[in-house]
């Protein structure tokens, strides 16, 4: 009886409606654009039957092909480097003893999240030009590595915090050296966190537009830059198709990252 | 934002040990990379904002505060007098107003949503949180483009309204302040729901029953019992929405059609078409200052985790 009443108290009129509205707002535009990517006609408003024609056009477009290769090369290298840097930093921050100025180091590692992206973007542009690195794939990779570090760091350090250090101590007691206890004991236990962090960094790099737009020189066009260029000219169904593909890529990677990051440690 | 901007730390700030050599070596690569390639650029923005614009872009190494004056004044070419000019001030005002409207809208949508999620069973809560989180990780440019797609004159909303005979002419939604506002809400709504949910999750719902037994009505329980407890979450969420909205570039660029400028567009323009680097740098410094003030205010808030532990 009393529990039933408490349950009733938790129900506020309209809250369910707002929640549904919130989900509709978050998902409806993505769903609509995906549905229209299968529209056979060029018309945006009329449904002309199901077709994969726009996808065929996207895959045959040489500019999109080049942009995809650029995006993947940048995302793989930036997220690999960022994950390595974040892993080292996480071990020092979580496993090492507390030290003076640790909070400052924490803020520094997360600084790329705190600075508005447009400021990092124009800052990187003038910085690269001032120190004489010409804009291109290299500058995009460097910039992406920097802002991927906190995204890789958060899941890795969260995972590490959940692993007690008895395991490494036991390994050391059994005459494992520092590298062996890391390689055979800690690393396998941390792996879900590392994979999760790597995937988040990967997707963040793949999706970035603002910073890439500023520091990509000619020939370093990535997928978001290509899509932006297409939208600027006018809406075409190809944009719907390529957007749907990128939506799908993000959904798959993020869901996987979430599931892997949540796997139970044994 | 899984984790996201979180100034909370779980170690004591009073550690008196200095950093060990091994820790320093492990931290060095990440710290050096961020210091060089992020603090470096920020320093250059600060320096460039006090220089003179070059004739063909770039800068001339001559100290000047002209870029900051340019926000409020225009220099008369003949008399060299400063004349008040509000064009840039209006851009800042538009950004502030739009960011504020977006933040309030996110509060109004985000709180009931977070409350609804927090009152689900533990298993269902995780599913709901994932549903709210996923859109954040989806490409912001593409999400904004899809918002433009449905708001367009020929888009599905107008097509449906015309099709059902409610209106005969399309309602112009794309390329307006309304569209930018919608884009901002759509972009940053998860940033509001998640921190509010995090503080509601810790809320002891038996307090509602206790308040009810003391003759509090449903809405006065909400106002006097729940809201004070989730206040830190509401503040954190508001900042997480307000700060990126203020510096937004994609939403005003795509949904405003480049006509309704916000600070982000004004800054980007100075490094692209307009080629006035010192002015762009000064605009960036002003934006950064506003953000720092907001973050300082946030960091001074009592930390919600402390009293629970």
């Amino acid at each position: 009886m009393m529990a039933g009443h408490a349950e009733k108290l938790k129900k506020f009129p309209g809250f369910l409606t707002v929640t549904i509205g919130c989900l509709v707002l978050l998902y409806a535009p993505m769903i609509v654009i995906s549905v229209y990517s299968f529209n056979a006609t060029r018309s945006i408003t009329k449904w002309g039957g199901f077709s994969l024609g726009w996808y065929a056009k996207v895959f045959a477009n040489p500019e999109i092909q080049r942009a995809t290769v650029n995006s993947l090369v940048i995302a793989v290298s930036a997220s690999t480097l960022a994950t390595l840097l974040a892993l080292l930093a996480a071990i020092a921050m979580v496993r090492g003893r507390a030290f003076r100025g640790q909070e400052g180091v924490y803020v520094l590692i997360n600084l790329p999240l705190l600075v508005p992206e447009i400021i990092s973007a124009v800052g990187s542009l003038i910085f690269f030009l001032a120190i004489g690195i010409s804009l291109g794939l290299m500058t995009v990779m460097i910039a992406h590595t920097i802002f991927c570090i906190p995204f890789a760091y958060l899941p890795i350090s969260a995972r590490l915090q959940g692993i007690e250090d008895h395991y490494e101590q036991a390994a050391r007691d059994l005459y494992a050296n520092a590298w062996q206890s890391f390689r055979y004991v800690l690393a396998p236990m941390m792996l879900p966190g590392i994979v999760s962090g790597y995937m988040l960094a990967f997707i963040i790099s793949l999706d970035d537009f603002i910073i890439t737009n500023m520091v990509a020189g000619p020939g370093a066009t990535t997928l978001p830059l290509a899509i932006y260029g297409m939208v600027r000219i006018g809406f075409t169904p190809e944009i719907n198709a390529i957007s749907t593909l990128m939506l799908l890529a993000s959904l798959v990677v993020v869901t996987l990252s979430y599931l892997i990051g949540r796997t139970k440690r044994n | 934002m899984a984790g996201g901007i979180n100034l909370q730390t779980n170690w004591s700030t009073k550690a008196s040990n200095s950093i060990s050599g091994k820790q320093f070596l492990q931290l060095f690569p990440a710290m050096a990379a961020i210091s060089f390639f992020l603090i470096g650029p920020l320093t250059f923005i600060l320096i460039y904002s006090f220089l003179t614009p070059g004739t063909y872009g770039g800068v001339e190494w001559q100290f000047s505060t002209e870029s900051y004056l340019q926000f409020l004044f225009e220099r008369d070419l003949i008399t060299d007098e400063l004349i008040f000019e509000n064009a840039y001030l209006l851009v800042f005002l538009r950004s502030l107003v739009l960011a504020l409207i977006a933040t309030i809208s996110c509060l109004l949508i985000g709180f009931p949503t977070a409350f609804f999620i927090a009152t689900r069973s533990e298993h269902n809560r995780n599913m709901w949180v994932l549903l709210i989180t996923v859109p954040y990780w989806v490409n912001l440019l593409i999400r904004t483009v899809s918002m433009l797609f449905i708001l367009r004159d020929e888009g599905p909303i107008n097509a449906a309204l015309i099709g059902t005979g409610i209106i005969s002419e399309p309602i112009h939604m794309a390329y307006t302040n309304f569209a930018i506002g919608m884009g901002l809400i759509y972009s940053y709504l998860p940033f509001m729901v998640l921190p509010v949910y995090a503080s509601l999750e810790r809320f002891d719902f038996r307090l509602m029953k206790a308040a009810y037994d003391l003759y509090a009505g449903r809405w006065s329980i909400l106002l006097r019992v729940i809201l004070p407890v989730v206040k830190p979450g509401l503040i954190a969420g508001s900042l997480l929405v307000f700060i990126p909205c203020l510096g937004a570039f994609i939403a005003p660029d795509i949904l405003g059609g480049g006509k309704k400028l916000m600070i982000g567009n004004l800054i980007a323009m100075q490094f692209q078409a307009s080629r006035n680097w010192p002015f762009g740098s000064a605009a960036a410094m002003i934006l950064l200052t506003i953000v720092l003030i907001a973050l300082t205010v946030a960091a001074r808030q009592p930390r919600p985790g402390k009293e629970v532990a």
Side-chain angles (χ1 to χ4, degrees):
Chain A
M1 272 293 278
M2 273 169 69
H5 198 90
E7 281 311 305
K8 218 188 279 171
L9 261 183
K10 287 188 200 170
K11 288 202 182 84
F12 282 88
F15 277 24
L16 173 65
T17 320
V18 175
T19 307
I20 293 171
C22 175
L23 287 180
V24 169
L25 176 63
L26 287 177
Y27 285 92
M30 295 189 258
I31 293 172
V32 168
I33 206 169
S34 307
V35 168
Y36 273 90
S37 70
F38 296 107
N39 191 0
T41 61
R42 186 161 269 276
S43 160
I44 299 294
T45 42
K46 291 203 180 61
W47 181 254
F50 179 86
S51 156
L52 290 173
W54 303 116
Y55 287 90
K57 271 199 129 173
V58 164
F59 285 117
N61 184 333
E63 270 175 58
I64 300 282
Q65 286 168 358
R66 263 197 302 276
T68 309
V69 172
N70 281 343
S71 275
L72 289 176
V73 168
I74 291 164
V76 168
S77 43
S79 49
T80 306
L81 194 54
T83 306
L84 276 174
L85 297 182
L87 177 62
L88 279 173
I91 290 173
M93 292 291 273
V94 180
R95 273 297 181 265
R97 53 176 195 189
F99 59 87
R100 253 196 325 267
Q102 193 162 8
E103 199 145 0
V105 175
Y106 183 80
V107 171
L108 182 67
I109 290 171
N110 286 293
L111 195 61
L113 289 176
L114 302 175
V115 178
E117 225 188 323
I118 189 71
I119 295 182
S120 309
V122 297
S124 301
L125 170 76
I126 56 178
F127 183 71
F128 285 134
L129 293 180
I131 63 172
I133 305 181
S134 56
L135 302 181
L137 275 182
M138 191 56 161
T139 46
V140 181
M141 272 181 213
I142 295 172
H144 280 209
T145 305
I146 300 304
F147 69 71
C148 282
I149 291 174
F151 286 99
Y153 177 84
L154 291 170
I156 293 175
S157 68
R159 181 81 189 183
L160 196 52
Q161 274 162 7
I163 304 172
E164 308 210 13
D165 56 6
H166 307 155
Y167 301 101
E168 296 139 88
Q169 280 165 15
R172 299 301 291 271
D173 288 345
L174 295 166
Y175 302 105
N177 61 30
W179 165 248
Q180 285 168 325
S181 83
F182 172 76
R183 169 67 187 79
Y184 296 106
V185 179
L186 190 57
M189 295 175 83
M190 285 179 72
L191 196 61
I194 298 171
V195 173
S196 177
Y198 181 87
M199 286 175 136
L200 293 186
F202 182 85
I203 209 72
I204 283 294
S205 163
L206 200 66
D207 283 352
D208 179 74
F209 170 73
I210 298 176
I211 292 178
T212 317
N213 187 33
M214 280 288 166
V215 300
T221 302
T222 61
L223 271 178
L225 294 194
I227 294 171
Y228 182 76
M230 287 163 81
V231 174
R232 268 292 146 107
I233 296 166
F235 237 106
T236 61
E238 282 121 303
I239 295 175
N240 295 348
I242 185 161
S243 298
T244 307
L245 289 173
M246 286 202 76
L247 289 178
L248 216 61
S250 303
L251 287 184
V252 169
V253 174
V254 169
T255 312
L256 275 179
S257 155
Y258 175 80
L259 293 176
I260 293 170
R262 265 167 49 93
T263 50
K264 295 220 164 61
R265 45 193 83 94
N266 36 22
Chain B
M1 184 167 200
I5 301 172
N6 185 356
L7 294 170
Q8 249 170 275
T9 48
N10 52 0
W11 51 79
S12 161
T13 49
K14 295 178 202 75
S16 55
N17 297 324
S18 49
I19 189 165
S20 76
K22 190 177 149 203
Q23 272 174 315
F24 181 77
L25 281 180
Q26 286 168 335
L27 284 170
F28 183 76
M31 286 173 66
I34 295 175
S35 302
F36 192 70
F37 288 111
L38 187 59
I39 310 258
L42 293 178
T43 314
F44 269 74
I45 292 179
L46 177 64
I47 297 171
Y48 276 27
S49 72
F50 287 106
L51 296 180
T52 311
T55 322
Y56 305 103
V59 286
E60 273 168 32
W61 286 86
Q62 193 164 10
F63 178 83
S64 154
T65 53
E66 198 75 1
S67 298
Y68 288 95
L69 287 175
Q70 212 180 327
F71 274 97
L72 296 176
F73 303 103
E74 203 170 28
R75 206 172 271 284
D76 193 296
L77 286 175
I78 300 156
T79 59
D80 209 38
E81 269 175 271
L82 289 173
I83 304 160
F84 181 71
E85 163 63 54
N86 65 6
Y88 298 127
L89 199 63
L90 282 179
V91 172
F92 267 74
L93 272 180
R94 175 185 293 119
S95 306
L96 280 170
V97 169
L98 280 173
L100 216 58
I101 290 174
T103 309
I104 293 168
S105 310
C106 285
L107 268 173
L108 293 178
I109 305 170
F111 176 76
T113 306
F115 189 89
F116 180 83
I117 297 174
T119 52
R120 299 305 96 193
S121 73
E122 204 173 327
H123 174 77
N124 286 341
R125 264 183 261 163
N126 286 333
M127 185 205 71
W128 281 100
V129 169
L130 182 65
L131 269 177
I132 298 289
T133 317
V134 160
Y136 163 71
W137 294 104
V138 170
N139 194 323
L140 184 58
L141 176 71
I142 288 175
R143 287 204 291 147
T144 311
V145 167
S146 64
M147 182 54 96
L148 175 65
F149 182 82
I150 65 168
L151 291 181
R152 291 159 27 131
D153 286 2
E154 307 84 29
I157 293 182
N158 273 316
L161 289 175
I162 292 173
T164 51
I166 295 170
I167 52 170
S168 54
E169 289 290 308
I171 305 170
H172 296 294
M173 290 180 287
Y175 313 126
T176 60
N177 284 329
F178 168 77
I180 301 176
M182 284 300 290
L184 292 177
I185 296 169
Y186 177 47
S187 304
Y188 303 114
L189 187 52
F191 288 11
M192 180 64 82
V193 178
L194 296 175
V196 176
Y197 166 74
S199 58
L200 271 170
E201 202 194 15
R202 281 194 292 261
F203 179 67
D204 184 350
F205 282 96
R206 286 175 305 182
L207 287 176
M208 287 183 75
K209 176 80 173 72
Y212 181 79
D213 289 343
L214 295 168
Y215 302 104
R218 188 187 291 279
W219 295 102
S220 81
I221 292 176
L222 180 68
L223 279 178
R224 297 190 186 180
V225 180
I226 302 173
L227 281 187
V229 176
V230 297
K231 199 175 139 209
L234 293 172
I235 293 172
S238 301
L239 275 163
L240 287 178
V241 173
F242 184 76
I243 290 174
C245 280
L246 201 59
F249 173 80
I250 294 181
D253 190 75
I254 301 270
L255 292 164
K259 279 170 251 163
K260 311 271 182 202
L261 288 188
M262 283 177 69
I263 307 174
N265 311 89
L266 182 69
I267 295 172
M269 268 174 59
Q270 307 310 318
F271 293 89
Q272 291 172 324
S274 307
R275 296 211 146 264
N276 189 340
W277 289 14
F279 182 60
S281 302
M285 285 314 298
I286 294 173
L287 173 60
L288 199 59
T289 310
I290 301 175
V291 169
L292 280 179
I293 291 170
L295 284 174
T296 314
V297 172
R300 279 163 182 256
Q301 289 302 318
R303 293 171 177 186
K306 284 282 157 80
E307 70 266 32
V308 178

